[in-house]
Amino acid sequence: MGVLTYFSELYSDFTEGLNKKKEKKHFQMVEIKIRLDCEGCEKRARHSVEGMKGVTKVEVEAKENKLTVYGFVDPKKVLKRVRRKTGKAAVMWPYVKHDLVYHPYVAGAYDKKAPPGYVRNVNDDPSIGQLARASSLEERYATAFSDENPNSCNVM
């Protein structure tokens, strides 16, 4: 009986090791900033990720220089493949919608190269994030003298 127990434990250890490696990927939306000058660049960027395993949909927005990939993929692998297949510099999408930032025109948040309606994602950068995020006390003082506030101070 000792030999049978030994082999059954050995087999169970072997199958547990196989199950740990196969971790399912979650459905993700990966946004990549890549320079798209012409239709050929768009086509090359699209075809670089369409053949990947797990990709369900690819969107290319040339005006915004943006490639969006939907599917069960790893963002790092998608970025690496785009860089390798296109030969262009590609980075993760560094922008967020203009409405999501409290003070979008702070020096670190505003970017001239950003597409219309977008600013830099200041939540990722702690040194700039403090400038762009205002506390409730700062907001209260700023709105006290605002023209949009009907109860504002009329001293001026």
Side-chain angles (χ1 to χ4, degrees):
M1 286 293 228
V3 174
L4 186 60
T5 308
Y6 173 75
F7 282 116
S8 67
E9 287 177 4
L10 183 66
Y11 178 74
S12 65
D13 290 341
F14 177 72
T15 56
E16 285 176 9
L18 291 176
N19 292 337
K20 287 181 183 177
K21 291 180 184 177
K22 292 186 178 183
E23 193 172 303
K24 287 191 174 185
K25 296 176 183 165
H26 301 287
F27 188 83
Q28 295 187 30
M29 176 181 73
V30 181
E31 296 176 320
I32 297 173
K33 179 183 176 184
I34 182 171
R35 187 170 174 136
L36 301 170
D37 299 322
C38 61
E39 292 179 13
C41 296
E42 293 177 39
K43 187 177 177 182
R44 189 182 310 156
R46 179 184 306 276
H47 288 299
S48 68
V49 292
E50 277 184 340
M52 282 185 74
K53 184 178 178 183
V55 173
T56 57
K57 183 179 176 184
V58 179
E59 291 179 357
V60 179
E61 298 172 24
K63 286 187 178 181
E64 295 180 355
N65 290 323
K66 183 178 181 181
L67 173 70
T68 308
V69 180
Y70 299 93
F72 298 95
V73 293
D74 183 23
K76 291 179 183 177
K77 288 183 180 179
V78 173
L79 184 63
K80 186 177 178 181
R81 181 156 177 162
V82 168
R83 286 178 181 162
R84 184 173 43 98
K85 291 277 188 173
T86 61
K88 293 183 174 241
V91 294
M92 290 301 210
W93 187 252
Y95 306 116
V96 294
K97 287 281 189 185
H98 183 272
D99 303 337
L100 299 177
V101 179
Y102 288 115
H103 301 290
Y105 297 108
V106 172
Y110 183 72
D111 188 5
K112 292 179 184 177
K113 296 179 183 178
Y118 288 94
V119 292
R120 280 218 173 265
N121 190 0
V122 294
N123 295 330
D124 293 342
D125 191 3
S127 63
I128 299 170
Q130 293 175 353
L131 297 172
R133 287 181 299 232
S135 66
S136 61
L137 182 64
E138 292 171 355
E139 284 291 326
R140 208 173 319 135
Y141 284 127
T143 56
F145 296 101
S146 173
D147 292 335
E148 297 171 1
N149 184 0
N151 301 322
S152 66
C153 181
N154 294 335
V155 174
M156 296 183 190

Short mmCIF file of all heavy atoms in Angstrom, two decimals, residues 4-38:
data_model
loop_
_atom_site.label_atom_id
_atom_site.label_comp_id
_atom_site.label_asym_id
_atom_site.label_seq_id
_atom_site.Cartn_x
_atom_site.Cartn_y
_atom_site.Cartn_z
N LEU A 4 1.53 2.46 -3.65
CA LEU A 4 0.35 3.01 -4.29
C LEU A 4 0.05 4.43 -3.78
O LEU A 4 -0.28 5.33 -4.56
CB LEU A 4 -0.85 2.09 -4.03
CG LEU A 4 -2.14 2.44 -4.77
CD1 LEU A 4 -1.92 2.41 -6.27
CD2 LEU A 4 -3.24 1.50 -4.38
N THR A 5 0.20 4.65 -2.49
CA THR A 5 -0.01 5.98 -1.91
C THR A 5 1.02 6.95 -2.44
O THR A 5 0.70 8.10 -2.76
CB THR A 5 0.10 5.91 -0.37
OG1 THR A 5 -0.77 4.89 0.11
CG2 THR A 5 -0.27 7.23 0.26
N TYR A 6 2.26 6.52 -2.54
CA TYR A 6 3.32 7.37 -3.05
C TYR A 6 3.03 7.84 -4.47
O TYR A 6 3.15 9.02 -4.80
CB TYR A 6 4.66 6.62 -3.00
CG TYR A 6 5.80 7.36 -3.66
CD1 TYR A 6 6.40 8.45 -3.05
CD2 TYR A 6 6.25 6.98 -4.93
CE1 TYR A 6 7.43 9.15 -3.68
CE2 TYR A 6 7.28 7.66 -5.56
CZ TYR A 6 7.87 8.74 -4.93
OH TYR A 6 8.89 9.41 -5.54
N PHE A 7 2.62 6.89 -5.34
CA PHE A 7 2.35 7.25 -6.73
C PHE A 7 1.10 8.13 -6.86
O PHE A 7 1.05 9.03 -7.70
CB PHE A 7 2.21 5.99 -7.60
CG PHE A 7 3.53 5.39 -7.96
CD1 PHE A 7 3.87 4.13 -7.53
CD2 PHE A 7 4.44 6.11 -8.74
CE1 PHE A 7 5.10 3.58 -7.85
CE2 PHE A 7 5.66 5.56 -9.06
CZ PHE A 7 6.00 4.30 -8.62
N SER A 8 0.09 7.91 -6.03
CA SER A 8 -1.10 8.75 -6.09
C SER A 8 -0.80 10.18 -5.64
O SER A 8 -1.30 11.15 -6.23
CB SER A 8 -2.24 8.15 -5.26
OG SER A 8 -1.89 8.20 -3.89
N GLU A 9 0.03 10.35 -4.62
CA GLU A 9 0.44 11.70 -4.20
C GLU A 9 1.31 12.37 -5.26
O GLU A 9 1.18 13.57 -5.52
CB GLU A 9 1.19 11.63 -2.87
CG GLU A 9 0.31 11.34 -1.68
CD GLU A 9 1.12 11.21 -0.40
OE1 GLU A 9 2.35 11.43 -0.42
OE2 GLU A 9 0.50 10.89 0.63
N LEU A 10 2.18 11.61 -5.88
CA LEU A 10 3.03 12.14 -6.94
C LEU A 10 2.18 12.60 -8.13
O LEU A 10 2.41 13.69 -8.67
CB LEU A 10 4.03 11.07 -7.39
CG LEU A 10 5.05 11.50 -8.44
CD1 LEU A 10 5.98 12.54 -7.85
CD2 LEU A 10 5.84 10.31 -8.92
N TYR A 11 1.18 11.83 -8.49
CA TYR A 11 0.30 12.19 -9.60
C TYR A 11 -0.53 13.43 -9.25
O TYR A 11 -0.71 14.30 -10.08
CB TYR A 11 -0.62 11.02 -9.95
CG TYR A 11 -1.58 11.34 -11.05
CD1 TYR A 11 -1.14 11.44 -12.37
CD2 TYR A 11 -2.93 11.57 -10.79
CE1 TYR A 11 -2.01 11.76 -13.39
CE2 TYR A 11 -3.81 11.89 -11.80
CZ TYR A 11 -3.35 11.98 -13.10
OH TYR A 11 -4.21 12.30 -14.10
N SER A 12 -1.04 13.51 -8.02
CA SER A 12 -1.86 14.67 -7.63
C SER A 12 -1.00 15.94 -7.59
O SER A 12 -1.47 17.02 -7.97
CB SER A 12 -2.53 14.45 -6.28
OG SER A 12 -1.55 14.35 -5.26
N ASP A 13 0.26 15.85 -7.16
CA ASP A 13 1.16 17.00 -7.18
C ASP A 13 1.43 17.44 -8.61
O ASP A 13 1.50 18.64 -8.90
CB ASP A 13 2.48 16.68 -6.48
CG ASP A 13 2.33 16.52 -4.98
OD1 ASP A 13 1.31 17.00 -4.44
OD2 ASP A 13 3.22 15.93 -4.36
N PHE A 14 1.56 16.49 -9.52
CA PHE A 14 1.82 16.80 -10.91
C PHE A 14 0.63 17.52 -11.55
O PHE A 14 0.78 18.50 -12.26
CB PHE A 14 2.14 15.51 -11.67
CG PHE A 14 2.37 15.72 -13.14
CD1 PHE A 14 3.52 16.35 -13.60
CD2 PHE A 14 1.43 15.31 -14.07
CE1 PHE A 14 3.73 16.55 -14.95
CE2 PHE A 14 1.63 15.50 -15.42
CZ PHE A 14 2.78 16.13 -15.86
N THR A 15 -0.60 17.03 -11.29
CA THR A 15 -1.79 17.65 -11.89
C THR A 15 -2.07 19.01 -11.28
O THR A 15 -2.58 19.90 -11.97
CB THR A 15 -3.03 16.74 -11.74
OG1 THR A 15 -3.21 16.45 -10.36
CG2 THR A 15 -2.86 15.48 -12.54
N GLU A 16 -1.76 19.24 -10.01
CA GLU A 16 -1.95 20.55 -9.40
C GLU A 16 -1.02 21.57 -10.04
O GLU A 16 -1.38 22.72 -10.23
CB GLU A 16 -1.70 20.49 -7.89
CG GLU A 16 -2.82 19.83 -7.12
CD GLU A 16 -2.49 19.72 -5.65
OE1 GLU A 16 -1.48 20.31 -5.21
OE2 GLU A 16 -3.24 19.05 -4.93
N GLY A 17 0.18 21.17 -10.36
CA GLY A 17 1.13 22.06 -11.01
C GLY A 17 0.66 22.48 -12.39
O GLY A 17 0.87 23.60 -12.82
N LEU A 18 0.00 21.58 -13.10
CA LEU A 18 -0.54 21.92 -14.42
C LEU A 18 -1.71 22.88 -14.32
O LEU A 18 -1.87 23.78 -15.14
CB LEU A 18 -0.98 20.66 -15.16
CG LEU A 18 0.12 19.69 -15.61
CD1 LEU A 18 -0.49 18.46 -16.24
CD2 LEU A 18 1.06 20.39 -16.56
N ASN A 19 -2.56 22.70 -13.32
CA ASN A 19 -3.74 23.55 -13.17
C ASN A 19 -3.37 24.97 -12.77
O ASN A 19 -4.08 25.90 -13.11
CB ASN A 19 -4.69 22.96 -12.13
CG ASN A 19 -5.32 21.67 -12.62
OD1 ASN A 19 -5.38 21.43 -13.82
ND2 ASN A 19 -5.77 20.84 -11.70
N LYS A 20 -2.29 25.17 -12.06
CA LYS A 20 -1.88 26.51 -11.63
C LYS A 20 -1.40 27.34 -12.82
O LYS A 20 -1.58 28.54 -12.84
CB LYS A 20 -0.77 26.43 -10.59
CG LYS A 20 -1.25 25.95 -9.24
CD LYS A 20 -0.13 25.92 -8.24
CE LYS A 20 -0.60 25.37 -6.92
NZ LYS A 20 0.49 25.26 -5.95
N LYS A 21 -0.80 26.70 -13.79
CA LYS A 21 -0.26 27.43 -14.94
C LYS A 21 -1.37 27.96 -15.85
O LYS A 21 -1.21 28.97 -16.49
CB LYS A 21 0.68 26.54 -15.75
CG LYS A 21 1.96 26.22 -15.03
CD LYS A 21 2.84 25.34 -15.87
CE LYS A 21 4.08 24.95 -15.10
NZ LYS A 21 4.93 24.04 -15.87
N LYS A 22 -2.50 27.27 -15.89
CA LYS A 22 -3.58 27.66 -16.79
C LYS A 22 -4.56 28.57 -16.06
O LYS A 22 -5.67 28.18 -15.71
CB LYS A 22 -4.30 26.43 -17.32
CG LYS A 22 -3.44 25.62 -18.25
CD LYS A 22 -4.22 24.50 -18.86
CE LYS A 22 -3.36 23.72 -19.81
NZ LYS A 22 -4.10 22.67 -20.49
N GLU A 23 -4.15 29.80 -15.85
CA GLU A 23 -5.02 30.77 -15.21
C GLU A 23 -5.75 31.54 -16.31
O GLU A 23 -5.12 32.03 -17.25
CB GLU A 23 -4.18 31.72 -14.37
CG GLU A 23 -4.98 32.56 -13.43
CD GLU A 23 -4.08 33.33 -12.50
OE1 GLU A 23 -3.28 32.73 -11.80
OE2 GLU A 23 -4.21 34.56 -12.50
N LYS A 24 -7.05 31.65 -16.21
CA LYS A 24 -7.83 32.29 -17.26
C LYS A 24 -7.60 33.79 -17.25
O LYS A 24 -7.52 34.42 -16.21
CB LYS A 24 -9.30 31.99 -17.08
CG LYS A 24 -9.67 30.58 -17.44
CD LYS A 24 -11.16 30.43 -17.50
CE LYS A 24 -11.51 29.05 -17.99
NZ LYS A 24 -12.94 28.88 -18.18
N LYS A 25 -7.54 34.36 -18.44
CA LYS A 25 -7.40 35.80 -18.59
C LYS A 25 -8.79 36.42 -18.61
O LYS A 25 -9.74 35.83 -19.07
CB LYS A 25 -6.64 36.13 -19.87
CG LYS A 25 -5.23 35.61 -19.87
CD LYS A 25 -4.55 35.88 -21.17
CE LYS A 25 -3.16 35.28 -21.14
NZ LYS A 25 -2.56 35.19 -22.43
N HIS A 26 -8.86 37.64 -18.12
CA HIS A 26 -10.11 38.35 -18.08
C HIS A 26 -10.30 39.17 -19.35
O HIS A 26 -9.34 39.58 -19.98
CB HIS A 26 -10.16 39.28 -16.86
CG HIS A 26 -10.01 38.55 -15.56
ND1 HIS A 26 -11.00 37.77 -15.04
CD2 HIS A 26 -8.98 38.48 -14.70
CE1 HIS A 26 -10.60 37.26 -13.90
NE2 HIS A 26 -9.37 37.66 -13.67
N PHE A 27 -11.54 39.45 -19.69
CA PHE A 27 -11.83 40.27 -20.84
C PHE A 27 -11.38 41.69 -20.54
O PHE A 27 -11.72 42.26 -19.52
CB PHE A 27 -13.33 40.25 -21.15
CG PHE A 27 -13.67 40.92 -22.45
CD1 PHE A 27 -13.55 40.24 -23.63
CD2 PHE A 27 -14.09 42.24 -22.48
CE1 PHE A 27 -13.85 40.84 -24.83
CE2 PHE A 27 -14.40 42.85 -23.68
CZ PHE A 27 -14.28 42.15 -24.85
N GLN A 28 -10.57 42.26 -21.44
CA GLN A 28 -10.00 43.58 -21.20
C GLN A 28 -10.10 44.44 -22.45
O GLN A 28 -10.22 43.95 -23.57
CB GLN A 28 -8.52 43.46 -20.83
CG GLN A 28 -8.28 42.76 -19.53
CD GLN A 28 -6.82 42.83 -19.15
OE1 GLN A 28 -6.12 43.77 -19.49
NE2 GLN A 28 -6.37 41.83 -18.45
N MET A 29 -10.02 45.73 -22.21
CA MET A 29 -9.90 46.70 -23.28
C MET A 29 -8.52 47.33 -23.14
O MET A 29 -8.23 47.96 -22.13
CB MET A 29 -10.99 47.78 -23.17
CG MET A 29 -10.85 48.86 -24.21
SD MET A 29 -12.10 50.13 -24.08
CE MET A 29 -11.53 51.00 -22.63
N VAL A 30 -7.66 47.14 -24.12
CA VAL A 30 -6.30 47.66 -24.09
C VAL A 30 -6.22 48.81 -25.08
O VAL A 30 -6.47 48.63 -26.27
CB VAL A 30 -5.27 46.56 -24.46
CG1 VAL A 30 -3.87 47.10 -24.39
CG2 VAL A 30 -5.44 45.35 -23.56
N GLU A 31 -5.86 49.99 -24.57
CA GLU A 31 -5.74 51.17 -25.42
C GLU A 31 -4.26 51.52 -25.57
O GLU A 31 -3.54 51.61 -24.57
CB GLU A 31 -6.48 52.36 -24.81
CG GLU A 31 -7.97 52.13 -24.72
CD GLU A 31 -8.68 53.26 -24.01
OE1 GLU A 31 -8.16 53.78 -23.01
OE2 GLU A 31 -9.78 53.61 -24.47
N ILE A 32 -3.83 51.71 -26.81
CA ILE A 32 -2.42 51.97 -27.10
C ILE A 32 -2.30 53.23 -27.94
O ILE A 32 -3.07 53.43 -28.88
CB ILE A 32 -1.81 50.76 -27.85
CG1 ILE A 32 -1.85 49.53 -26.96
CG2 ILE A 32 -0.38 51.06 -28.29
CD1 ILE A 32 -1.45 48.25 -27.64
N LYS A 33 -1.34 54.06 -27.59
CA LYS A 33 -1.05 55.25 -28.37
C LYS A 33 0.08 54.90 -29.33
O LYS A 33 1.17 54.51 -28.91
CB LYS A 33 -0.62 56.41 -27.47
CG LYS A 33 -0.28 57.66 -28.23
CD LYS A 33 0.20 58.75 -27.28
CE LYS A 33 0.63 59.96 -28.08
NZ LYS A 33 1.20 60.99 -27.24
N ILE A 34 -0.19 55.05 -30.62
CA ILE A 34 0.79 54.75 -31.65
C ILE A 34 0.59 55.76 -32.78
O ILE A 34 -0.53 56.13 -33.10
CB ILE A 34 0.65 53.29 -32.17
CG1 ILE A 34 1.71 52.97 -33.20
CG2 ILE A 34 -0.73 53.02 -32.69
CD1 ILE A 34 1.78 51.51 -33.59
N ARG A 35 1.66 56.22 -33.34
CA ARG A 35 1.55 57.23 -34.40
C ARG A 35 1.05 56.57 -35.69
O ARG A 35 1.68 55.66 -36.22
CB ARG A 35 2.90 57.89 -34.63
CG ARG A 35 2.81 59.03 -35.58
CD ARG A 35 4.07 59.81 -35.61
NE ARG A 35 3.93 60.81 -36.66
CZ ARG A 35 4.30 62.06 -36.53
NH1 ARG A 35 4.84 62.44 -35.40
NH2 ARG A 35 4.14 62.90 -37.50
N LEU A 36 -0.07 57.07 -36.18
CA LEU A 36 -0.69 56.55 -37.40
C LEU A 36 -0.75 57.67 -38.42
O LEU A 36 -1.60 58.56 -38.35
CB LEU A 36 -2.10 56.03 -37.09
CG LEU A 36 -2.17 54.93 -36.04
CD1 LEU A 36 -3.60 54.67 -35.63
CD2 LEU A 36 -1.52 53.67 -36.54
N ASP A 37 0.18 57.64 -39.39
CA ASP A 37 0.28 58.71 -40.37
C ASP A 37 -0.60 58.50 -41.59
O ASP A 37 -1.12 59.45 -42.16
CB ASP A 37 1.75 58.86 -40.83
CG ASP A 37 2.66 59.20 -39.68
OD1 ASP A 37 2.25 59.99 -38.82
OD2 ASP A 37 3.79 58.69 -39.65
N CYS A 38 -0.73 57.27 -42.01
CA CYS A 38 -1.45 57.00 -43.26
C CYS A 38 -2.30 55.74 -43.11
O CYS A 38 -2.31 55.11 -42.06
CB CYS A 38 -0.45 56.83 -44.41
SG CYS A 38 0.68 55.44 -44.17
#
